[in-house]
Amino acid sequence: METIVRVLIVYLFVMVGLRIIGKGTFGQLTPADLVVLMMIPEFFQQALSREDFSLTNALVATSMLLLLAMLTETLTYRFPRLASVVNGNPVTVVSQGTLRTVHMDHERLSPEEIQDAMHRAGLERLDQVKWAVLYPDGSVAVIPQRPDDASQQEKPKTL
């Protein structure tokens, strides 16, 4: 029964803590978010298995971690340069239908991953892509080429 109570306390504590630091969704994790999510279980592992009977230590450690996460988020919001250091910057990997292989190599992004993003955007060929941008969370946004209205329409013939 004590294990059930400890798990309930930990669950409620982490849920409230994550709500306080303002994380509405974790669909797009920044590196700082990932660190927080990976460290929380480490703090509670011994307390839940009762190897260390002090649940208080785990609560204090997690409180400090959530405070650091909130501080990091606040500082990156106020200082854009710090945000680019902590979170990274978007990188253009396709420009006007041409792969930017230097950027792709640097980000370790394969052409297949770009093709996958293109297909999800409903595009079949690379020349249909105006821009493809790799975001720090690992997602790729694809902006399609817009057909030039003037070149697509035939000029009317005069008699």
Side-chain angles (χ1 to χ4, degrees), residues 79-90:
F79 303 104
R81 283 187 179 173
L82 180 62
S84 68
V85 171
V86 172
N87 298 329
N89 291 317

Side-chain angles (χ1 to χ4, degrees), residues 68-109:
L68 288 171
M70 189 168 68
L71 179 64
T72 301
E73 189 173 315
T74 301
L75 289 173
T76 57
Y77 175 75
R78 291 184 186 250
F79 303 104
R81 283 187 179 173
L82 180 62
S84 68
V85 171
V86 172
N87 298 329
N89 291 317
V91 176
T92 303
V93 292
V94 175
S95 175
Q96 303 298 327
T98 303
L99 293 175
R100 298 182 79 182
T101 55
V102 172
H103 293 186
M104 291 172 55
D105 291 343
H106 184 262
E107 298 296 331
R108 293 177 300 283
L109 184 70

Side-chain angles (χ1 to χ4, degrees), residues 11-151:
Y11 177 78
L12 292 174
F13 181 80
V14 171
M15 288 298 292
V16 169
L18 291 177
R19 287 294 293 156
I20 288 173
I21 66 169
K23 292 294 170 196
T25 172
F26 280 101
Q28 297 178 344
L29 293 177
T30 65
D33 297 333
L34 185 60
V35 168
V36 169
L37 290 177
M38 289 177 60
M39 289 181 70
I40 289 174
E42 290 298 319
F43 294 148
F44 286 107
Q45 184 261 341
Q46 289 182 342
L48 289 176
S49 65
R50 293 188 285 177
E51 292 174 19
D52 172 10
F53 289 100
S54 175
L55 187 57
T56 306
N57 286 339
L59 294 174
V60 169
T62 302
S63 296
M64 184 62 188
L65 180 64
L66 293 175
L67 179 66
L68 288 171
M70 189 168 68
L71 179 64
T72 301
E73 189 173 315
T74 301
L75 289 173
T76 57
Y77 175 75
R78 291 184 186 250
F79 303 104
R81 283 187 179 173
L82 180 62
S84 68
V85 171
V86 172
N87 298 329
N89 291 317
V91 176
T92 303
V93 292
V94 175
S95 175
Q96 303 298 327
T98 303
L99 293 175
R100 298 182 79 182
T101 55
V102 172
H103 293 186
M104 291 172 55
D105 291 343
H106 184 262
E107 298 296 331
R108 293 177 300 283
L109 184 70
S110 71
E112 291 78 22
E113 291 172 290
I114 292 174
Q115 285 179 341
D116 181 51
M118 286 171 35
H119 293 157
R120 282 186 274 126
L123 304 176
E124 296 177 8
R125 298 181 325 273
L126 192 59
D127 64 352
Q128 295 174 307
V129 178
K130 182 175 185 176
W131 303 102
V133 179
L134 173 66
Y135 288 100
D137 67 359
S139 64
V140 178
V142 177
I143 295 93
Q145 292 274 11
R146 292 192 336 197
D148 185 11
D149 294 335
S151 68

